[in-house]
Amino acid sequence: MAERFDVVIVGAGFAGLYMLHRLRGLGLSARVFEQGDNVGGTWYWNRYPGARCDAESLAYSFSFSPELEQQWQWTERYATQPEILQYAEHVAERFDLYRDIRFQQRVVSATYDEADNSWLVTTAQGETAVAQFCIMATGCLSVPQLPDIKGIDNFQGARYQASMWPPEGVDFSGCTVGVIGTGSSGIQAIPVIAERAEHLYVFQRTPNFSVPAVNGALDDGWVEQFKVNYRQHRHYHKHGLSSGFGDLEIEPRERTPAAESAADMSAQEVAAILDPYWQRGGAFFLSAFADSLIEPRSNAKIADYVRGKIREIVQDPQTAEDLCPTDHPIGSKRICVDTGYYAAYNRSNVSLINVRRTPIEEVTATGIRLSDRNIDLDTLVLATGFDAMTGALLNMDIRGRGGVRLADKWHSGPRAYLGINMHGFPNLFTVTGPGSPSVLSNMLVSIEQHVDWMVGCIEHMRSHGRQRVEAELQAEDHWVAHVNEIANATLFPQGGSWYLGANVSGKPRVFMPYAAGVGAYRDICEDVVRDNYRGFVFS
Ligand code: N01
C-alpha cells in the first residue's frame, strides 16, 4: 500500500528543497522523489567543464533565510557548478531536508483520484506515495535533447553529454575532441576543453550571441558591504525590472536602461552606450536599451555591435564571419555569457566547422563524416540542449480529473493558469511552469515566489476548510492568451528557440514563459490572492 502524505514533491532541486522546507513550517508531511542520487537538480546533472551560472551568485541564491544569505560565502561573481551544488547540499543539511527525500526514484506517473481527492505518485523503481497535493518541481531544462544525426550510436570513441556529465570528470589530454552544440552549455565548455584537448573541432549549426561574463573572485570587503543591504537588494530583484538578476552596485537600486532606444542612433552613439556594459560583463548587457527586445531596428543596432566585437576578437576573418549570428534578433534566443569563448578560436588547436556549409553526413565509428571530408575523433561531446519546460512534465503520465492526460490537454502546447495550476488537475502545482516568468528570470527568485504563493494557497485552504483547488477553464484561457499577447509584443517569437519548443521536432511552437518580468508577474499573483483567489475554484 502506498504511504500517505499531505504533499508529494517531484524533484529535489532548489524548487523541491524550498517547497519541502516551507511545508515543514506548516506542519505538513511530505515525500520528495528525486531521480538523481543527491539534491541540486540542474546543478547535479550539468557538470560539464566550465559550467557556471549566468546570474550573479549573490542574486542566484535563496533569500528566505537572512542567516543563510549572510553566512554563505560565494567566492566568484558567477558561481561554478561545484560551488552551487555544495550550496544546495548545504541548504539540504542546514534545514534537515534529506530525511524526507527518496533518491534514485524517477517518477513515471501521477494520477488523481477524485473520490479520495488525492494524487498517487509512482516511480520507475516501484515506490509509491499518495497525497492531497502534488508539487511538480521538475525543473525547466531537465530533459536532455539528443541530436537526430545519422550513425550517432555507431561512434566507438568516448561520448559525453553536457547535461549528464560523469561526476568524476573527463580528462581530454592528448585527445582529439568534437563538440556538437554552441548554446550556453557548448559556449561555456569549449574554451575549457580547448585548454586540454590535443585538438578541438566545434561543429556549429547556428551561431549564438555571447557576451563576456567578466567573471572574477569576489572581494571579501565588497561582499561584506553588499550584505549590509542584502534585504534591499533582494527587494529590487523581486520587484524590479531586472527579471530578478543581480547587479554589482553596493548601493541597492532599481536597474534602469541607459537609453530608450538604439533605433535612430549612429554606430558610434550605440557603442558609447554599450561599451561600459560590455566591459562590465553579464547578460545585463541587453538591458542597456529599454526597447532591445521590442523594436527590431534598435535590436539590429545592438546585434551589429556584438558582431563587431566578434570580428575584433577572432583573428581569422572567415571564422569570425561564421561565428556571427545573423538569423535571429539578439536576445530572442537566450543570450550566452562566456569566459573566453570567441578568443578560443584564435588557438591553433581549435577549428570551427560550419555545418551549414559542410553538413554532417554521418557519425562513424571513428569520427564525423562531413560532406567534404572525414574528421577522426577520440571523444565526442554533445551539448545539444533540452526538451525545455514541458519535457519533464510530459515524460510522466499525469492524469487529472476523469483520467484526462496532461499530454492530451497540452497536445497543442502548454496551458496553465499563471503557470501554476491546470484546469482539470486539482491540487497539482507546477513550480516555474509554462506561463510563468521562469526561464526568462533569475530562477531562484521565481522559485521562491512560486513556492511562497503555493504554500500561501495551501495555508488558505487549511484555514478555510477547503480540500481542493483548481484553475477555472476561463481563467486559464485568458492567461494563455495574455502570455501569448505579451510574447507577441516582443521579438522573442522570432528566435526559433527552445523557449518556443523549436529545437524539438514535432513540439508545438508556443512561446512558453511569461515575458512581462518578475515584478509585474508577482503583482498579478498577489492581486489574484487579494481578489479571493480570482480564477481558482475551491471546494
Ligand atoms: O542548449 P541550446 P544548451 N546538429 O538548446 C545544437 C541554460 N543553460 O544546453 O541552434 C548540430 O541552447 C543547436 O544548434 P541549432 C540556458 O538557459 C544555462 O546550450 O539548433 N547542432 C545549439 O547550438 C540555455 O539557453 C547555463 O542550430 C545541433 C545547441 O545544439 C539552456 O540551458 C549554462 C543539433 C543547443 O543549444 C540550453 O542551453 C548552460 C544537430 N543535430 C545552459 N541539435 C548558464 O547558467 C542541436 N544542435 C550559464
Side-chain angles (χ1 to χ4, degrees):
M1 254 242 313
E3 222 177 320
R4 216 172 171 101
F5 301 90
D6 293 314
V7 185
V8 175
I9 301 169
V10 185
F14 284 125
L17 292 179
Y18 182 46
M19 180 56 85
L20 176 58
H21 174 66
R22 286 294 325 268
L23 293 171
R24 288 256 189 87
L26 285 190
L28 298 185
S29 64
R31 156 73 29 100
V32 183
F33 287 125
E34 163 58 50
Q35 62 178 333
D37 60 14
N38 207 336
V39 298
T42 197
W43 301 105
Y44 170 90
W45 297 102
N46 287 269
R47 298 163 191 244
Y48 60 84
R52 63 173 74 244
C53 192
D54 61 1
E56 289 177 27
S57 40
L58 284 152
Y60 189 85
S61 50
F62 281 125
S63 74
F64 71 84
S65 162
E67 296 76 24
L68 170 67
E69 73 183 2
Q70 288 296 331
Q71 286 163 16
W72 182 266
Q73 294 296 329
W74 294 106
T75 62
E76 293 181 58
R77 177 179 175 187
Y78 298 98
T80 60
Q81 172 272 328
E83 192 166 65
I84 303 173
L85 188 55
Q86 271 172 24
Y87 175 73
E89 290 169 5
H90 171 78
V91 168
E93 272 159 28
R94 185 178 182 122
F95 297 100
D96 188 24
L97 302 177
Y98 276 110
R99 65 185 155 89
D100 287 328
I101 307 173
R102 302 301 303 252
F103 291 105
Q104 296 185 327
Q105 296 293 327
R106 185 170 58 80
V107 170
V108 287
S109 68
T111 311
Y112 181 65
D113 177 339
E114 194 162 0
D116 190 46
N117 187 36
S118 66
W119 285 90
L120 169 65
V121 176
T122 309
T123 74
Q125 290 71 21
E127 289 216 7
T128 51
V130 169
Q132 184 185 357
F133 294 94
C134 179
I135 312 279
M136 292 298 176
T138 42
C140 296
L141 295 158
S142 45
V143 177
Q145 174 69 14
L146 288 176
D148 183 16
I149 300 177
K150 187 177 166 200
I152 190 101
D153 293 325
N154 296 338
F155 185 63
Q156 296 294 305
R159 186 177 113 179
Y160 303 100
Q161 210 176 313
S163 48
M164 299 194 78
W165 205 258
E168 65 278 12
V170 176
D171 183 6
F172 293 101
S173 313
C175 294
T176 302
V177 182
V179 173
I180 300 179
T182 51
S184 298
S185 305
I187 280 175
Q188 286 188 329
I190 284 161
V192 182
I193 297 175
E195 282 172 16
R196 286 258 170 240
E198 178 74 19
H199 199 96
L200 170 62
Y201 291 93
V202 178
F203 298 89
Q204 173 194 268
R205 189 164 65 182
T206 312
N208 260 308
F209 289 100
S210 188
V211 295
V214 191
N215 186 38
L218 286 169
D219 176 78
D220 290 347
W222 185 92
V223 171
E224 206 173 303
Q225 272 184 285
F226 182 96
K227 285 186 171 182
V228 170
N229 292 314
Y230 223 147
R231 296 285 91 194
Q232 244 186 305
H233 284 289
R234 298 289 198 188
H235 175 82
Y236 285 118
H237 300 163
K238 290 174 185 183
H239 297 273
L241 300 170
S242 70
S243 287
F245 291 97
D247 60 47
L248 280 179
E249 304 290 333
I250 290 284
E251 285 304 318
R253 65 179 175 89
E254 173 64 295
R255 295 165 68 156
T256 48
E260 278 305 308
S261 179
D264 296 318
M265 285 187 181
S266 68
Q268 289 74 17
E269 287 168 327
V270 172
I273 294 202
L274 289 180
D275 279 347
Y277 284 82
W278 185 270
Q279 281 147 20
R280 185 174 161 177
F284 188 50
F285 174 84
L286 269 184
S287 311
F289 292 100
D291 66 351
S292 60
L293 276 159
I294 296 167
E295 166 54 49
R297 290 187 309 125
S298 186
N299 185 284
K301 296 269 173 76
I302 302 166
D304 276 344
Y305 173 90
V306 176
R307 283 188 287 263
K309 288 290 179 195
I310 297 171
R311 294 183 187 111
E312 261 174 40
I313 300 167
V314 179
Q315 288 153 6
D316 175 57
Q318 182 62 62
T319 306
E321 277 326 297
D322 284 345
L323 286 166
C324 284
T326 53
D327 75 328
H328 63 278
I330 184 168
S332 63
K333 282 185 172 180
R334 170 82 167 216
I335 197 159
C336 304
V337 178
D338 71 276
T339 299
Y341 175 63
Y342 293 118
Y345 293 95
N346 295 333
R347 298 175 65 105
S348 58
N349 71 331
V350 177
S351 308
L352 180 70
I353 310 290
N354 178 342
V355 303
R356 293 219 187 262
R357 197 178 311 115
T358 52
I360 296 176
E361 296 211 324
E362 192 178 1
V363 178
T364 65
T366 55
I368 289 187
R369 185 154 60 75
L370 297 171
S371 57
D372 65 346
R373 66 189 150 129
N374 289 329
I375 294 180
D376 284 339
L377 300 171
D378 302 306
T379 308
L380 183 58
V381 173
L382 303 176
T384 46
F386 302 88
D387 181 356
M389 300 198 74
T390 55
L393 294 166
L394 294 180
N395 270 2
M396 293 176 277
D397 183 9
I398 301 177
R399 290 173 192 247
R401 235 177 342 101
V404 170
R405 294 169 67 232
L406 185 65
D408 291 333
K409 181 178 169 83
W410 284 9
H411 181 258
S412 306
R415 305 187 71 76
Y417 180 39
L418 299 172
I420 285 177
N421 169 258
M422 287 77 73
H423 175 71
F425 295 79
N427 295 356
L428 179 105
F429 292 128
T430 50
V431 184
T432 67
S436 71
S438 178
V439 290
L440 295 181
S441 68
N442 174 347
M443 290 301 282
L444 268 282
V445 171
S446 285
I447 284 170
E448 283 192 336
Q449 187 256 337
H450 257 189
V451 169
D452 289 342
W453 193 98
M454 291 164 190
V455 170
C457 181
I458 294 173
E459 243 179 325
H460 171 86
M461 289 170 71
R462 287 167 67 85
S463 61
H464 290 78
R466 304 295 196 194
Q467 298 302 322
R468 221 169 73 152
V469 59
E470 183 182 344
E472 286 171 6
L473 183 58
Q474 202 188 17
E476 180 179 279
D477 288 346
H478 281 157
W479 183 254
V480 171
H482 176 59
V483 171
N484 281 315
E485 182 191 15
I486 294 287
N488 289 334
T490 72
L491 301 175
F492 279 118
Q494 295 180 30
S497 65
W498 57 259
Y499 294 145
L500 273 170
N503 63 327
V504 178
S505 100
K507 189 165 172 170
R509 289 210 180 189
V510 174
F511 190 80
M512 295 181 281
Y514 180 55
V518 294
Y521 176 76
R522 182 183 295 266
D523 289 347
I524 294 168
C525 290
E526 286 174 3
D527 191 53
V528 163
V529 173
R530 270 193 302 272
D531 200 7
N532 211 8
Y533 286 88
R534 184 179 64 239
F536 288 97
V537 177
F538 293 97
S539 54

Coordinates of all heavy atoms in Angstrom, one line a residue, residues 266-333:
S266 N 23.6 56.5 -34.3 CA 24.7 56.0 -35.1 C 25.4 54.9 -34.4 O 25.3 54.7 -33.2 CB 25.7 57.2 -35.3 OG 26.3 57.5 -34.1
A267 N 26.3 54.2 -35.2 CA 27.0 53.1 -34.5 C 27.9 53.6 -33.4 O 28.1 52.9 -32.4 CB 27.9 52.4 -35.6
Q268 N 28.5 54.8 -33.6 CA 29.3 55.4 -32.5 C 28.5 55.7 -31.3 O 28.9 55.4 -30.1 CB 30.0 56.7 -33.0 CG 31.1 56.5 -34.0 CD 30.5 56.2 -35.4 OE1 29.3 56.4 -35.7 NE2 31.4 55.7 -36.3
E269 N 27.3 56.2 -31.5 CA 26.4 56.5 -30.3 C 26.0 55.2 -29.6 O 26.0 55.2 -28.3 CB 25.2 57.3 -30.7 CG 25.5 58.7 -31.1 CD 24.3 59.4 -31.9 OE1 23.5 58.7 -32.6 OE2 24.1 60.6 -31.7
V270 N 25.7 54.2 -30.4 CA 25.4 52.9 -29.7 C 26.6 52.4 -28.9 O 26.4 51.9 -27.8 CB 24.9 51.9 -30.8 CG1 24.8 50.5 -30.2 CG2 23.6 52.3 -31.5
A271 N 27.7 52.4 -29.6 CA 29.0 51.9 -28.9 C 29.2 52.7 -27.6 O 29.6 52.1 -26.6 CB 30.2 52.0 -29.8
A272 N 29.0 54.0 -27.6 CA 29.2 54.8 -26.4 C 28.4 54.3 -25.2 O 28.8 54.3 -24.1 CB 29.0 56.3 -26.7
I273 N 27.2 53.8 -25.6 CA 26.3 53.3 -24.5 C 26.7 51.9 -24.1 O 26.7 51.5 -23.0 CB 24.8 53.4 -25.0 CG1 24.5 54.9 -25.1 CG2 23.9 52.6 -24.0 CD1 23.1 55.3 -25.0
L274 N 27.0 51.0 -25.2 CA 27.2 49.6 -24.9 C 28.6 49.3 -24.4 O 28.7 48.3 -23.6 CB 26.9 48.8 -26.2 CG 25.4 48.7 -26.6 CD1 25.3 47.9 -27.9 CD2 24.6 48.1 -25.5
D275 N 29.6 50.1 -24.7 CA 30.9 49.8 -24.2 C 31.0 49.5 -22.7 O 31.6 48.5 -22.3 CB 31.9 50.9 -24.6 CG 32.3 50.8 -26.1 OD1 32.1 49.7 -26.7 OD2 32.9 51.7 -26.6
P276 N 30.5 50.4 -21.9 CA 30.6 50.1 -20.5 C 29.9 48.8 -20.1 O 30.3 48.1 -19.1 CB 29.9 51.3 -19.8 CG 29.7 52.3 -20.9 CD 29.8 51.7 -22.2
Y277 N 28.8 48.5 -20.7 CA 28.1 47.2 -20.4 C 28.9 46.0 -20.8 O 29.0 45.0 -20.1 CB 26.7 47.2 -21.2 CG 25.7 48.0 -20.5 CD1 25.6 49.4 -20.8 CD2 24.7 47.5 -19.7 CE1 24.7 50.2 -20.3 CE2 23.8 48.3 -19.1 CZ 23.7 49.7 -19.4 OH 22.8 50.5 -18.9
W278 N 29.5 46.1 -22.0 CA 30.4 45.0 -22.5 C 31.6 44.8 -21.5 O 31.9 43.7 -21.1 CB 30.9 45.4 -23.9 CG 31.7 44.3 -24.5 CD1 33.1 44.1 -24.4 CD2 31.2 43.2 -25.3 NE1 33.4 43.0 -25.2 CE2 32.3 42.4 -25.7 CE3 29.9 42.8 -25.8 CZ2 32.2 41.3 -26.5 CZ3 29.8 41.7 -26.5 CH2 30.9 40.9 -26.9
Q279 N 32.1 46.0 -21.1 CA 33.3 45.9 -20.2 C 32.9 45.4 -18.8 O 33.7 44.7 -18.1 CB 34.0 47.2 -20.0 CG 34.9 47.5 -21.3 CD 34.9 49.0 -21.6 OE1 34.6 49.8 -20.8 NE2 35.3 49.3 -22.8
R280 N 31.7 45.7 -18.4 CA 31.3 45.3 -17.1 C 30.8 43.8 -17.1 O 31.0 43.1 -16.1 CB 30.1 46.1 -16.7 CG 29.6 45.9 -15.3 CD 28.5 46.9 -15.0 NE 27.7 46.4 -13.9 CZ 26.7 47.1 -13.3 NH1 26.4 48.3 -13.8 NH2 26.1 46.6 -12.3
G281 N 30.4 43.3 -18.2 CA 30.1 41.9 -18.4 C 28.7 41.5 -17.9 O 28.0 42.2 -17.2
G282 N 28.2 40.4 -18.4 CA 27.0 39.8 -18.0 C 25.8 40.1 -18.9 O 25.9 41.0 -19.8
A283 N 24.7 39.3 -18.7 CA 23.6 39.4 -19.6 C 22.8 40.7 -19.4 O 22.0 41.0 -20.3 CB 22.6 38.2 -19.3
F284 N 23.2 41.5 -18.4 CA 22.5 42.8 -18.2 C 22.8 43.7 -19.4 O 22.1 44.7 -19.6 CB 23.0 43.4 -16.9 CG 22.3 44.7 -16.5 CD1 20.9 44.7 -16.5 CD2 23.0 45.8 -16.2 CE1 20.2 45.9 -16.2 CE2 22.3 47.0 -15.9 CZ 21.0 47.0 -15.8
F285 N 23.8 43.3 -20.2 CA 24.1 44.0 -21.5 C 22.9 44.3 -22.3 O 22.7 45.4 -22.8 CB 25.1 43.1 -22.3 CG 25.4 43.5 -23.6 CD1 26.4 44.4 -23.9 CD2 24.6 43.1 -24.7 CE1 26.7 44.9 -25.1 CE2 24.9 43.5 -26.0 CZ 26.0 44.4 -26.2
L286 N 22.0 43.3 -22.3 CA 20.8 43.5 -23.1 C 19.8 44.6 -22.6 O 18.9 45.0 -23.3 CB 20.0 42.2 -23.2 CG 20.4 41.3 -24.4 CD1 19.4 40.1 -24.4 CD2 20.2 42.0 -25.7
S287 N 20.0 44.9 -21.4 CA 19.1 45.9 -20.7 C 19.6 47.4 -20.9 O 19.0 48.3 -20.4 CB 19.0 45.7 -19.2 OG 18.7 44.3 -19.0
A288 N 20.6 47.5 -21.7 CA 21.2 48.9 -21.9 C 20.1 49.8 -22.6 O 20.0 51.0 -22.3 CB 22.4 48.8 -22.7
F289 N 19.4 49.2 -23.5 CA 18.3 49.9 -24.2 C 17.0 49.4 -23.8 O 16.8 48.1 -23.8 CB 18.5 49.8 -25.7 CG 19.7 50.6 -26.2 CD1 20.9 49.9 -26.5 CD2 19.7 51.9 -26.4 CE1 22.0 50.5 -26.9 CE2 20.8 52.6 -26.8 CZ 22.0 51.9 -27.1
A290 N 16.0 50.2 -23.5 CA 14.7 49.8 -23.0 C 14.0 49.0 -24.0 O 13.2 48.1 -23.6 CB 13.9 51.0 -22.6
D291 N 14.2 49.2 -25.3 CA 13.4 48.5 -26.3 C 14.2 47.4 -27.0 O 13.8 47.0 -28.1 CB 12.9 49.5 -27.3 CG 14.0 50.2 -28.2 OD1 15.2 49.9 -27.8 OD2 13.7 50.9 -29.1
S292 N 15.3 46.9 -26.4 CA 16.2 46.0 -27.1 C 15.4 44.7 -27.6 O 15.7 44.2 -28.7 CB 17.4 45.6 -26.3 OG 16.9 45.0 -25.1
L293 N 14.4 44.3 -26.9 CA 13.7 43.1 -27.3 C 12.3 43.4 -27.9 O 11.4 42.5 -28.0 CB 13.6 42.1 -26.1 CG 14.8 41.3 -26.0 CD1 15.0 40.7 -24.7 CD2 14.8 40.2 -27.1
I294 N 12.1 44.7 -28.2 CA 10.8 45.1 -28.7 C 10.9 45.7 -30.1 O 10.1 45.4 -31.0 CB 10.1 46.1 -27.7 CG1 9.9 45.4 -26.4 CG2 8.8 46.7 -28.3 CD1 9.5 46.3 -25.3
E295 N 11.9 46.6 -30.3 CA 12.0 47.3 -31.5 C 13.1 46.7 -32.4 O 14.3 46.7 -32.1 CB 12.3 48.8 -31.2 CG 12.8 49.7 -32.3 CD 11.8 49.7 -33.5 OE1 10.6 49.9 -33.3 OE2 12.3 49.5 -34.6
P296 N 12.7 46.2 -33.6 CA 13.7 45.5 -34.4 C 14.9 46.4 -34.8 O 16.0 45.9 -34.9 CB 12.8 45.1 -35.7 CG 11.4 45.2 -35.3 CD 11.3 46.1 -34.1
R297 N 14.6 47.7 -35.1 CA 15.7 48.5 -35.5 C 16.7 48.7 -34.4 O 17.9 48.8 -34.6 CB 15.2 49.8 -36.1 CG 14.5 49.7 -37.4 CD 14.1 51.0 -38.0 NE 13.4 51.9 -37.1 CZ 13.8 53.1 -36.8 NH1 14.8 53.6 -37.4 NH2 13.1 53.8 -35.9
S298 N 16.2 48.8 -33.2 CA 17.1 49.0 -32.0 C 17.9 47.7 -31.8 O 19.1 47.7 -31.6 CB 16.2 49.3 -30.8 OG 17.0 49.6 -29.7
N299 N 17.2 46.6 -31.9 CA 17.8 45.3 -31.7 C 18.9 45.1 -32.7 O 20.0 44.6 -32.4 CB 16.7 44.2 -31.8 CG 17.3 42.8 -31.5 OD1 17.9 42.2 -32.4 ND2 17.0 42.3 -30.3
A300 N 18.6 45.5 -34.0 CA 19.6 45.3 -35.1 C 20.9 46.0 -34.8 O 22.0 45.6 -35.0 CB 19.0 45.7 -36.4
K301 N 20.8 47.2 -34.2 CA 22.0 48.0 -33.9 C 22.8 47.3 -32.8 O 24.0 47.3 -32.8 CB 21.6 49.4 -33.4 CG 20.9 50.3 -34.5 CD 21.9 51.1 -35.3 CE 21.2 51.8 -36.4 NZ 20.4 53.0 -36.1
I302 N 22.1 46.8 -31.8 CA 22.8 46.1 -30.7 C 23.5 44.8 -31.3 O 24.7 44.5 -30.9 CB 21.8 45.7 -29.6 CG1 21.1 47.0 -29.0 CG2 22.5 45.0 -28.4 CD1 19.9 46.7 -28.2
A303 N 22.8 44.1 -32.1 CA 23.4 42.9 -32.8 C 24.6 43.3 -33.6 O 25.6 42.6 -33.5 CB 22.4 42.2 -33.6
D304 N 24.6 44.4 -34.3 CA 25.7 44.9 -35.1 C 26.9 45.1 -34.2 O 28.0 44.8 -34.5 CB 25.4 46.2 -35.8 CG 24.7 46.0 -37.1 OD1 24.7 44.8 -37.6 OD2 24.0 46.9 -37.6
Y305 N 26.6 45.7 -33.0 CA 27.7 46.0 -32.1 C 28.4 44.7 -31.7 O 29.6 44.6 -31.7 CB 27.1 46.7 -30.9 CG 28.1 46.9 -29.7 CD1 28.9 48.1 -29.7 CD2 28.3 46.0 -28.7 CE1 29.8 48.3 -28.7 CE2 29.2 46.1 -27.7 CZ 30.0 47.3 -27.7 OH 30.9 47.5 -26.7
V306 N 27.6 43.7 -31.4 CA 28.2 42.4 -30.9 C 29.0 41.7 -32.1 O 30.1 41.2 -31.9 CB 27.1 41.5 -30.3 CG1 27.7 40.1 -29.9 CG2 26.5 42.1 -29.1
R307 N 28.4 41.8 -33.3 CA 29.1 41.2 -34.4 C 30.5 41.9 -34.6 O 31.5 41.3 -34.9 CB 28.3 41.2 -35.7 CG 27.2 40.2 -35.7 CD 26.5 40.1 -37.0 NE 25.6 41.2 -37.2 CZ 24.3 41.2 -37.0 NH1 23.7 40.1 -36.6 NH2 23.5 42.3 -37.1
G308 N 30.5 43.2 -34.4 CA 31.7 44.0 -34.4 C 32.7 43.5 -33.4 O 33.9 43.3 -33.7
K309 N 32.3 43.2 -32.2 CA 33.1 42.6 -31.2 C 33.7 41.3 -31.6 O 34.9 41.0 -31.4 CB 32.4 42.5 -29.8 CG 32.1 43.8 -29.2 CD 33.4 44.5 -28.7 CE 33.1 45.8 -28.0 NZ 34.3 46.6 -27.8
I310 N 32.8 40.4 -32.2 CA 33.3 39.1 -32.6 C 34.4 39.3 -33.6 O 35.5 38.6 -33.5 CB 32.1 38.3 -33.2 CG1 31.1 38.0 -32.1 CG2 32.7 36.9 -33.8 CD1 29.8 37.4 -32.6
R311 N 34.2 40.2 -34.6 CA 35.3 40.4 -35.6 C 36.5 41.0 -35.0 O 37.6 40.7 -35.5 CB 34.7 41.3 -36.7 CG 33.5 40.7 -37.5 CD 33.0 41.6 -38.6 NE 31.8 41.0 -39.2 CZ 30.6 41.5 -39.1 NH1 30.4 42.6 -38.5 NH2 29.6 40.9 -39.7
E312 N 36.4 41.8 -34.0 CA 37.6 42.3 -33.3 C 38.4 41.2 -32.6 O 39.6 41.2 -32.6 CB 37.2 43.3 -32.2 CG 37.2 44.8 -32.6 CD 36.7 45.6 -31.4 OE1 36.9 45.3 -30.2 OE2 35.9 46.6 -31.8
I313 N 37.6 40.3 -32.0 CA 38.3 39.3 -31.1 C 38.9 38.1 -32.0 O 40.0 37.7 -31.8 CB 37.3 38.6 -30.1 CG1 36.8 39.7 -29.2 CG2 38.0 37.5 -29.3 CD1 35.6 39.3 -28.3
V314 N 38.1 37.7 -33.0 CA 38.5 36.5 -33.7 C 39.4 36.9 -34.9 O 39.0 37.6 -35.8 CB 37.3 35.7 -34.2 CG1 37.7 34.4 -35.0 CG2 36.4 35.3 -33.0
Q315 N 40.6 36.3 -34.9 CA 41.6 36.8 -35.9 C 41.3 36.3 -37.3 O 41.5 37.1 -38.2 CB 43.0 36.3 -35.4 CG 43.5 37.1 -34.2 CD 44.5 36.3 -33.4 OE1 44.9 35.2 -33.8 NE2 44.9 36.9 -32.2
D316 N 40.9 35.1 -37.5 CA 40.7 34.6 -38.8 C 39.3 35.1 -39.3 O 38.3 34.9 -38.7 CB 40.7 33.1 -38.8 CG 40.3 32.5 -40.2 OD1 41.0 32.8 -41.1 OD2 39.3 31.8 -40.3
P317 N 39.3 35.9 -40.4 CA 38.1 36.6 -40.8 C 37.0 35.6 -41.2 O 35.8 35.9 -40.9 CB 38.5 37.4 -42.1 CG 40.0 37.5 -42.0 CD 40.5 36.3 -41.2
Q318 N 37.3 34.5 -41.8 CA 36.2 33.5 -42.2 C 35.6 32.9 -40.9 O 34.4 32.8 -40.8 CB 36.8 32.4 -43.1 CG 35.7 31.4 -43.5 CD 34.6 32.1 -44.4 OE1 34.9 32.6 -45.4 NE2 33.4 32.0 -43.8
T319 N 36.5 32.6 -39.9 CA 36.0 32.0 -38.7 C 35.1 33.1 -38.0 O 34.0 32.8 -37.5 CB 37.1 31.6 -37.7 OG1 38.0 30.7 -38.5 CG2 36.6 30.9 -36.5
A320 N 35.5 34.3 -38.0 CA 34.8 35.4 -37.4 C 33.4 35.5 -38.0 O 32.4 35.6 -37.3 CB 35.5 36.7 -37.5
E321 N 33.4 35.5 -39.4 CA 32.1 35.6 -40.0 C 31.2 34.4 -39.7 O 30.0 34.5 -39.5 CB 32.3 35.6 -41.6 CG 32.6 37.0 -42.1 CD 31.9 38.2 -41.4 OE1 30.7 38.3 -41.4 OE2 32.7 39.0 -40.8
D322 N 31.8 33.2 -39.6 CA 31.0 32.0 -39.3 C 30.4 32.1 -37.9 O 29.4 31.5 -37.6 CB 31.8 30.7 -39.4 CG 32.0 30.4 -40.9 OD1 31.3 30.9 -41.8 OD2 32.9 29.5 -41.2
L323 N 31.1 32.8 -37.0 CA 30.6 32.9 -35.6 C 29.6 34.0 -35.4 O 29.0 34.2 -34.4 CB 31.8 33.2 -34.7 CG 32.7 32.0 -34.4 CD1 34.0 32.5 -33.8 CD2 32.0 31.0 -33.5
C324 N 29.4 34.9 -36.5 CA 28.5 36.0 -36.3 C 27.0 35.5 -36.6 O 26.7 35.1 -37.7 CB 28.8 37.1 -37.3 SG 30.2 38.0 -36.9
P325 N 26.2 35.6 -35.5 CA 24.8 35.2 -35.8 C 24.1 36.3 -36.6 O 24.2 37.5 -36.5 CB 24.2 35.3 -34.3 CG 25.3 35.4 -33.4 CD 26.4 36.1 -34.2
T326 N 23.3 35.8 -37.6 CA 22.5 36.7 -38.5 C 21.1 36.2 -38.6 O 20.3 36.9 -39.3 CB 23.2 36.7 -39.9 OG1 23.3 35.3 -40.3 CG2 24.5 37.3 -39.9
D327 N 20.7 35.1 -38.0 CA 19.4 34.6 -38.3 C 18.3 34.8 -37.2 O 17.2 34.4 -37.3 CB 19.5 33.0 -38.5 CG 19.7 32.3 -37.2 OD1 20.3 32.9 -36.3 OD2 19.2 31.2 -37.0
H328 N 18.7 35.5 -36.1 CA 17.7 35.8 -35.1 C 18.1 37.1 -34.4 O 19.2 37.5 -34.3 CB 17.6 34.7 -34.1 CG 18.9 34.4 -33.3 ND1 19.9 33.7 -33.8 CD2 19.2 34.8 -32.1 CE1 20.9 33.6 -32.9 NE2 20.5 34.3 -31.8
P329 N 17.0 37.8 -33.9 CA 17.3 39.1 -33.1 C 18.1 38.7 -31.9 O 17.8 37.7 -31.3 CB 15.9 39.6 -32.8 CG 15.0 38.9 -33.7 CD 15.6 37.6 -34.1
I330 N 19.0 39.6 -31.5 CA 19.8 39.3 -30.3 C 18.9 39.2 -29.1 O 18.0 40.1 -28.9 CB 21.0 40.3 -30.1 CG1 21.8 39.9 -28.9 CG2 20.5 41.7 -30.0 CD1 23.2 40.7 -28.9
G331 N 19.1 38.2 -28.3 CA 18.3 38.1 -27.1 C 17.0 37.3 -27.3 O 16.4 36.8 -26.3
S332 N 16.6 37.0 -28.6 CA 15.4 36.3 -28.8 C 15.6 34.8 -28.5 O 14.7 34.0 -28.3 CB 14.8 36.5 -30.2 OG 15.8 36.0 -31.2
K333 N 16.9 34.4 -28.7 CA 17.4 33.1 -28.1 C 18.1 33.5 -26.8 O 18.7 34.6 -26.8 CB 18.4 32.4 -29.0 CG 17.7 31.7 -30.2 CD 18.8 30.9 -30.9 CE 18.2 30.1 -32.0 NZ 19.2 29.3 -32.7

